């Protein structure tokens, strides 16, 4: 074609050189038309290279179909691309219906491509530095409930469990927002004051009378554990139980320090290292914030890395 410049025209468009018919620049040259005709003929010949390339390129689309179209079919094996895009939700009813429909078309084998587990950590913000305002619940040892039991009765049950084999409860006297407890320890009496507020938060006791050494020996026994707050956790209970098992397999123990509406205070321990974490969640059990509060930053980073690995987070 280049040997006959009088039979075509050069057009410069968007940085490219296009060759068009000399008389009508809207049309292809007769050289290009002849070339296209030759290629199209070869595309229909199974032994030609053009035919092989064309059909090889179509292989990846040959057996693909949408989930909606696949509803009418059943297949021995199904490869299901579960990626719908960044802005499509994964916790709504329509998504699970879509997944169910796609999976149900496979008779014996279904492989999920681009699958990411649905977990409470889907949209979690991990904060490696303490928030400006973080609740301090270190001094809260018992959250009183609004059940029929009085504060004194609930405290008595708590102390029986904690002080078993260490001290004996002699008396509990009640005042407004105060429980005065008399114990016998090592053959001597010790009096403790347990204060609590209108929210039912009972704090670490004060020593009224008795030996200071005995009081210091009792203090480590007055801690809040997950057993006291399990009924308060609500939608997070089953998740936290599974989460604790996962961490335990990695040598990390978890303890719920306190539970309030929509947030939890957690303590994690690995050998001699401890870290406190503030966790916020919503009514669906999804975790919005997972924030470092105090303790080992290295342990916090390790826990976050485990979460991202186990729950396949980016």
């Amino acid at each position: 074609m280049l040997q006959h410049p009088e039979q075509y025209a050069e057009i410069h468009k968007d940085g490219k050189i296009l060759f068009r018919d000399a008389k009508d620049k809207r049309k292809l040259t007769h050289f290009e038309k002849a070339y296209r005709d030759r290629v199209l003929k070869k595309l229909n010949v199974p032994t030609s290279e053009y035919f092989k390339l064309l059909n090889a390129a179509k292989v990846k689309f040959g057996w693909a179909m949408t989930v909606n179209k696949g509803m009418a079919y059943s297949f021995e094996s199904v490869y299901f691309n579960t990626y719908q895009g960044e802005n499509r939700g994964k916790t709504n009813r329509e998504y699970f219906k879509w997944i169910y429909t796609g999976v149900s078309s496979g008779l014996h084998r279904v492989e999920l491509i681009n699958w990411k587990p649905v977990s409470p950590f889907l949209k979690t913000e991990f904060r490696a530095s303490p928030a400006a305002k973080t609740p301090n619940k270190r001094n809260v040892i018992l959250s009183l409930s609004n059940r029929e039991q009085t504060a004194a009765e609930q405290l008595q049950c708590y102390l029986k469990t904690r002080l078993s084999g260490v001290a004996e409860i002699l008396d509990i006297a009640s005042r407004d927002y105060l429980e005065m407890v008399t114990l016998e320890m090592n053959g001597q009496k010790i009096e403790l004051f347990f204060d609590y507020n209108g929210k039912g938060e009972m704090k670490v006791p004060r020593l009224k009378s008795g030996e200071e050494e005995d009081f210091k020996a009792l203090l480590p026994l007055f801690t809040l554990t997950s057993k006291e707050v399990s009924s308060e956790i609500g939608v997070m209970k089953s998740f936290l139980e599974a989460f604790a098992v996962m961490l335990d397999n990695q040598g990390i123990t978890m303890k719920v320090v306190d539970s309030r509406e929509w947030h939890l205070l957690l303590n994690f321990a690995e050998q001699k290292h401890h870290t406190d974490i503030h966790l916020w969640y919503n009514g669906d059990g999804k975790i919005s914030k997972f924030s470092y509060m105090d303790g080992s930053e290295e342990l916090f980073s390790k826990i976050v890395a485990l979460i991202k690995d186990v729950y396949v987070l980016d």
Side-chain angles (χ1 to χ4, degrees), residues 18 29 37 47-48 90 111 125-126 138 143 145 149 154 171 175-176 180 192 202 237-238 243 255 262 269 278 285 300:
L18 304 177
T29 66
D37 289 339
T47 57
S48 71
K90 295 184 66 176
E111 290 198 18
E125 177 186 356
F126 295 96
R138 282 291 191 177
S143 294
S145 67
Q149 285 185 317
Q154 294 180 59
D171 182 58
R175 298 290 185 272
D176 289 341
M180 299 180 292
L192 305 177
M202 186 167 286
K237 187 175 187 297
S238 59
F243 187 52
K255 180 173 65 176
W262 313 128
H278 191 195
F300 172 79

Side-chain angles (χ1 to χ4, degrees), residues 275-287:
T275 188
D276 293 331
I277 290 172
H278 191 195
L279 180 151
W280 288 87
Y281 63 96
N282 61 24
D284 295 325
K286 300 298 182 293
I287 299 170

Side-chain angles (χ1 to χ4, degrees), residues 84-234:
Q84 290 186 308
E86 293 296 334
N87 298 322
R88 299 293 295 273
K90 295 184 66 176
T91 58
N92 53 69
R93 184 177 181 181
E94 286 69 25
Y95 175 78
F96 290 108
K97 287 173 63 177
W98 181 73
I99 290 290
Y100 172 79
T101 304
V103 170
S104 61
S105 62
L107 296 176
H108 295 99
R109 180 186 178 89
V110 176
E111 290 198 18
L112 302 181
I113 303 171
N114 296 320
W115 168 254
K116 289 187 178 181
V118 177
S119 77
F121 292 106
L122 272 178
K123 296 183 178 180
T124 301
E125 177 186 356
F126 295 96
R127 291 183 175 179
S129 57
K133 294 183 179 180
T134 54
N136 181 15
K137 300 295 181 181
R138 282 291 191 177
N139 60 341
V140 177
I141 63 167
L142 178 64
S143 294
L144 302 174
S145 67
N146 294 322
R147 296 177 297 181
E148 295 180 357
Q149 285 185 317
T150 64
E153 291 171 335
Q154 294 180 59
L155 177 59
Q156 185 176 26
C157 292
Y158 172 85
L159 293 177
K160 281 184 177 180
T161 302
R162 294 310 175 92
L163 303 181
S164 177
V166 178
E168 181 182 353
I169 303 172
L170 299 180
D171 182 58
I172 298 180
S174 300
R175 298 290 185 272
D176 289 341
Y177 301 108
L178 173 66
E179 301 297 328
M180 299 180 292
V181 179
T182 303
L183 304 173
E184 184 176 347
M185 181 178 179
N186 298 327
Q188 299 185 38
K189 290 184 179 180
I190 180 172
E191 291 184 286
L192 305 177
F193 281 0
F194 289 82
D195 301 282
Y196 61 95
N197 57 27
K199 296 180 181 179
E201 298 173 335
M202 186 167 286
K203 301 180 180 180
V204 174
R206 297 177 285 133
L207 178 63
K208 174 64 170 64
S209 64
E211 295 293 331
E212 184 74 25
E213 291 185 2
D214 290 341
F215 177 63
K216 289 182 179 180
L218 290 175
L219 282 179
L221 302 177
F222 300 130
T223 56
L224 186 66
T225 67
S226 56
K227 292 183 179 179
E228 278 79 45
V229 298
S230 60
S231 60
E232 309 286 337
I233 295 174

Side-chain angles (χ1 to χ4, degrees), residues 36-88:
R36 289 193 174 190
D37 289 339
R38 291 197 303 271
V39 171
L40 288 174
K41 288 179 181 179
K42 291 183 178 180
L43 287 176
N44 295 319
V45 180
T47 57
S48 71
E49 291 297 320
Y50 291 97
F51 180 89
K52 294 176 182 178
L53 289 172
L54 173 65
N55 287 279
K58 285 185 175 180
V59 165
K60 65 178 182 179
F61 302 108
W63 299 100
M65 62 178 64
T66 64
V67 171
N68 186 52
K69 185 177 180 180
M71 290 174 61
Y73 301 91
S74 294
F75 304 94
E76 292 293 322
S77 299
V78 170
Y79 296 86
F80 187 5
N81 184 3
T82 61
Y83 180 73
Q84 290 186 308
E86 293 296 334
N87 298 322
R88 299 293 295 273

